[in-house]
Amino acid sequence: MTNRAARSADLAKGSHGLAKDHAPHDFTKGLASHGLAKDHAPHGLARASRLVPPAGPQRVLTLAQLSNSVGDGAYYVTSALYFTHVIGLAPERVGLGLTVAWAIGSLVGVPLGGLADRRGPRGTAVLLALATAAAVASFLLVRGFVPFVLAACAYASAQSGLAAARQALLAGLIPAGERTGLLAHLQSTLNAGLAVGAGLGGLALHAGTRAAYLGVFALDAVSFLLCAALLLRLPPVPPVAVRRGHGLGVLRDRPYVLVTFLNTVLLLRMPMLSLGIPLWITERTEAPAWLVSALFVLNTGAVMVFQVRMARGVTGLVTATRAIRRSGLVMLASCAVFALSSGASPWVAAGVLVAGAVLQVAAEMQQSAGSWQLAFDLAPADRMGEYQGFFGTGVTVARTMGPLVLTALLVGWGTPGWLLLGGLIAGASYGMGPAARWAAAARGCGRSHHSGGTRPAAAIPS
C-alpha cells in the first residue's frame, strides 16, 4: 500500500499541469490523408469533405483553434514543473494560485463576452488573443508567488474572455445548421493540437533545462499571436445594439441558469479522466499504473476519430436533448463497469477499465454534441458573448469542484461512489430535456432545427 499511495500522490501532483481536462472540453483533429486510387477519387473527396471543414470562415476558425491548441498542449505538460522546479514555488501554492486565477477568469469571462456583443466579436477576440499571448509571455518574468498569481489571473481572464468572444464570432458567421458539425471539427482539432503540443512539451521535459521550459512558454505566446492573425482574416460581425434594463444580466434568465447548472454536473466527466480514474486505478485496483496514460490516449484518439461522426445527427433542441439523455445512460453504465475493476486480478482489472473507458468516451462525445447545440439555440442573438461567457463557467466550476467531489466519491466510497456518480450524471442528463424546453419557451424559440436571428448562441469547446 505504501507504493500504491506514493504512485497516487505523484499522479495527483501531476494533474496540476493539466489545466484543461481534455478532454477536453475548449476543437478537431486526426484529419489524416488517404492514399486512394484515382478511380476512387469522388468517394475520397466526399469523405474528406466530411473530415475537413469547407474553405472560408469554418476552415479559418479551425486553423485558429489548431494554432493555439499546439501551444497550449506544450504549456499544459510543462507548466507545473516550470512553476515548481524552475521558479521554485511550492506545489500547494501553485494549485492555490491557479484555482484563484481560474475562479476570477470565469467571473471576468461574462462581462468580456458582453463587451464582444457591444463592440463586435472579431475585434474583441483578436485583442483578447493578443492579451493571452502577453499573459503567457509574462510567465517568463515571474520570480515569486504574487507575480505568479497576477500573471495567472491575467492569463485565465484573457482565455475566458477569448472563448466567449470566439463563440459569439462563430455564431455570427456560421449558419445554424452547420454549427454543431463545425464544433465537432473544432473539438477534434483541439485534441490533435494538444497531442502535438504535448509531444513538443515532452521534448522540453526530457531536456529539463530552464531554456527548454522558456522555449515552451515562448511557443505558446507565439501560438496566440498566430491565432490573432488568423482571426483577423475573418469577416467582421457587426456589434449588436445594447438594451438597457438587464440588471443582473444572464443571471436573471433562470431557465438558462438551470441549463448551465445541469451542464456543469455533466462536466464532472472532465476531472474523472485526469484525476478520478488515475486515483481509482492506483488506490482501488491492482491494474498497472501505466494504464492511466493508455486510457488518456484512448480517449484522445477516440475523440479525434469519432467526434464529428457522433455529432452529425444533432441538429436542434430535440436531437440535442436526446443525445444528452443517451450520454447519461452510457455514463451510468461506464461508472458501473469502472466499479467492477476493484478486487480483480491486474489484467482482468485492466480489461474492465478499458471497457469502462470506451463507454466513458462514447458518453463524452454525445454529451458534448448535445450541449453545443443547446448553447446555440437557447441564448438570445443580441447577447451571445455574455451568455456564452456564463455557459463557459461550468467548465471552470467542474474543474475546481470536481476533484473534491470525485476524490470523496471514488477514493472514499469506492463502488457505491461510482454508482452515485453515475446516477447523478444520468439524473442531470434526464433533467436537461425539461430545462431546455423551459428555456426555449421563455426565449420563444421552441423549434427543433434552428434558432431565429442571424446570431444564435454557439459554444466553442474549451
Side-chain angles (χ1 to χ4, degrees):
M1 287 300 294
T2 302
N3 291 338
R4 188 171 293 267
R7 286 191 296 164
S8 64
D10 290 340
L11 286 166
K13 267 195 277 185
S15 69
H16 288 301
L18 294 173
K20 291 186 179 179
D21 307 274
H22 300 293
H25 132 193
D26 122 148
F27 330 87
T28 75
K29 49 166 72 124
L31 306 179
S33 59
H34 302 277
L36 299 175
K38 288 184 179 180
D39 55 339
H40 292 119
H43 173 76
L45 290 173
R47 185 175 181 183
S49 68
R50 294 195 296 267
L51 292 174
V52 181
Q58 294 197 26
R59 188 168 296 175
V60 174
L61 286 167
T62 301
L63 291 173
Q65 178 57 45
L66 179 63
S67 66
N68 71 259
S69 63
V70 170
D72 276 345
Y75 168 84
Y76 294 146
V77 301
T78 59
S79 58
L81 292 180
Y82 173 76
F83 296 139
T84 55
H85 292 181
V86 177
I87 296 179
L89 299 175
E92 295 78 9
R93 304 194 90 184
V94 173
L96 174 63
L98 292 177
T99 299
V100 170
W102 283 106
I104 292 174
S106 66
L107 296 176
V108 172
V110 178
L112 287 177
L115 179 66
D117 293 331
R118 296 190 301 272
R119 301 297 183 185
R122 189 191 69 166
T124 304
V126 169
L127 290 176
L128 287 170
L130 295 175
T132 305
V136 172
S138 71
F139 282 125
L140 300 175
L141 307 176
V142 166
R143 296 295 182 270
F145 179 66
V146 173
F148 162 71
V149 173
L150 294 176
C153 288
Y155 173 76
S157 298
Q159 280 269 47
S160 298
L162 175 60
R166 286 166 73 163
Q167 291 157 6
L169 180 59
L170 183 150
L173 293 174
I174 306 302
E178 300 175 14
R179 295 188 188 110
T180 297
L182 174 59
L183 292 172
H185 279 294
L186 293 175
Q187 181 66 50
S188 208
T189 298
L190 172 68
N191 280 13
L194 290 174
V196 172
L200 296 175
L203 296 177
L205 292 175
H206 178 71
T209 64
R210 178 183 179 86
Y213 285 113
L214 296 182
V216 166
F217 280 79
L219 171 66
D220 197 21
V222 170
S223 76
F224 278 97
L225 293 178
L226 179 57
C227 173
L230 287 167
L231 292 175
L232 268 177
R233 296 179 55 192
L234 293 167
V237 174
V240 295
V242 178
R243 294 184 297 174
R244 298 186 180 276
H246 286 156
L248 295 175
V250 64
L251 294 178
R252 296 183 62 186
D253 191 339
R254 289 179 294 175
Y256 197 85
V257 170
L258 177 58
V259 168
T260 301
F261 169 74
L262 292 174
N263 188 64
T264 302
V265 175
L266 298 176
L267 289 175
L268 287 175
R269 62 170 174 78
M270 297 172 67
M272 180 192 299
L273 179 65
S274 64
L275 182 66
I277 293 174
L279 288 177
W280 173 259
I281 289 175
T282 56
E283 288 284 340
R284 292 279 190 157
T285 78
E286 299 299 324
W290 56 259
L291 191 64
V292 171
S293 177
L295 295 184
F296 190 88
V297 171
L298 170 65
N299 180 279
T300 301
V303 173
M304 288 172 60
V305 176
F306 296 112
Q307 180 67 79
V308 174
R309 184 179 303 174
M310 294 287 280
R312 199 168 292 147
V314 178
T315 57
L317 294 178
V318 172
T319 51
T321 54
R322 185 183 301 135
I324 291 175
R325 281 197 305 272
R326 284 198 304 264
S327 77
L329 291 177
V330 176
M331 187 63 78
L332 176 58
S334 171
C335 290
V337 171
F338 279 130
L340 294 175
S341 63
S342 179
S345 64
W347 293 109
V348 171
V352 172
L353 289 165
V354 169
V358 170
L359 292 172
Q360 188 268 338
V361 72
E364 172 187 331
M365 290 186 286
Q366 293 181 82
Q367 183 267 321
S368 295
S371 293
W372 297 335
Q373 187 69 42
L374 293 183
F376 276 122
D377 289 351
L378 297 179
D382 60 344
R383 298 169 67 189
M384 200 68 46
E386 177 190 357
Y387 267 62
Q388 296 315 308
F390 179 72
F391 195 81
T393 62
V395 175
T396 304
V397 172
R399 289 177 185 153
T400 303
M401 302 302 297
L404 300 176
V405 174
L406 295 185
T407 300
L409 288 179
L410 306 186
V411 179
W413 290 19
T415 297
W418 273 114
L419 298 179
L420 180 58
L421 175 63
L424 180 65
I425 292 176
S429 71
Y430 269 77
M432 190 65 86
R437 288 193 294 271
W438 182 26
R443 187 76 51 232
C445 61
R447 60 259 180 241
S448 63
H449 288 286
H450 63 278
S451 56
T454 59
R455 290 178 54 191
I460 296 180
S462 52

